[in-house]
Amino acid sequence: YGREVSTVVKKEFPAFLEKNLKELPMEEALHKTFAQTNQAISTIVGDIEFSGSTGVIVIIDGQQVITANVGDSRAILCSFEKGGIQGKAITRDHKPDEPDEAARILASDGRIEAFKDSDGEHVGPLRVWQKANDVPGLAMTRAFGDGAGVV
């Protein structure tokens, strides 16, 4: 249901943000909008245990650029410099190898480890897992939806 989750995010996020910005400062409005969008996904899509989406929001307000993101999608600001185009990341991926994200996951009773193959050997990137369940873990620490893989 990943496509359905993404469709809900695309449709609902702007409407929630517009309403919230009338009542709250930008940072609070963004936090509330992410939470409302996630709730809408549960209501509209239904079973999102193994379905989710990442997201990057970029707001341009005059000369100010405001970003917010969830997951491992990254916003890159490109500019013409030194005879070419230079790119600079303006968001940070939410990955389990980031110390603050790892601390949050572990404090929320999650676990972090790579997937294990049939021989019990770790393969691939670190993933977030529920502590007691071996359901598919995500290689990111935050997502819209995806009830099983994100803590």
Side-chain angles (χ1 to χ4, degrees):
Y1 299 104
R3 172 184 267 182
E4 289 84 352
V5 172
S6 295
T7 299
V8 172
V9 172
K10 184 173 83 172
K11 179 177 181 261
E12 300 296 332
F13 192 96
F16 286 136
L17 183 59
E18 185 173 14
K19 179 183 181 299
N20 291 334
L21 282 172
K22 292 176 183 174
E23 303 167 0
L24 298 167
M26 179 67 74
E27 187 173 343
E28 290 177 47
L30 283 166
H31 281 279
K32 185 173 182 179
T33 300
F34 273 88
Q36 288 172 312
T37 303
N38 210 45
Q39 182 58 47
I41 291 165
S42 300
T43 303
I44 296 168
V45 177
D47 181 11
I48 56 164
E49 187 173 15
F50 299 109
S51 299
S53 178
T54 63
V56 176
I57 287 55
V58 178
I59 300 168
I60 300 172
D61 185 10
Q63 294 293 314
Q64 188 176 22
V65 177
I66 301 150
T67 64
N69 67 304
V70 61
D72 60 356
S73 292
R74 184 180 307 169
I76 306 295
L77 178 64
C78 295
S79 58
F80 292 100
E81 296 177 23
K82 302 175 186 168
I85 296 178
Q86 301 295 316
K88 178 181 179 179
I90 57 173
T91 58
R92 178 179 75 117
D93 294 359
H94 296 121
K95 303 289 256 174
D97 56 353
E98 293 289 333
D100 60 331
E101 288 294 293
R104 186 181 64 77
I105 294 301
L106 297 174
S108 298
D109 214 21
R111 64 186 163 100
I112 298 170
E113 63 181 62
F115 183 79
K116 291 181 184 174
D117 66 15
S118 57
D119 295 324
E121 297 294 320
H122 287 108
V123 238
L126 290 176
R127 295 177 174 274
V128 177
W129 303 77
Q130 295 176 353
K131 191 166 193 163
N133 299 321
D134 280 334
V135 295
L138 287 179
M140 67 193 83
T141 56
R142 299 173 190 247
F144 284 114
D146 209 311
V150 176
V151 177

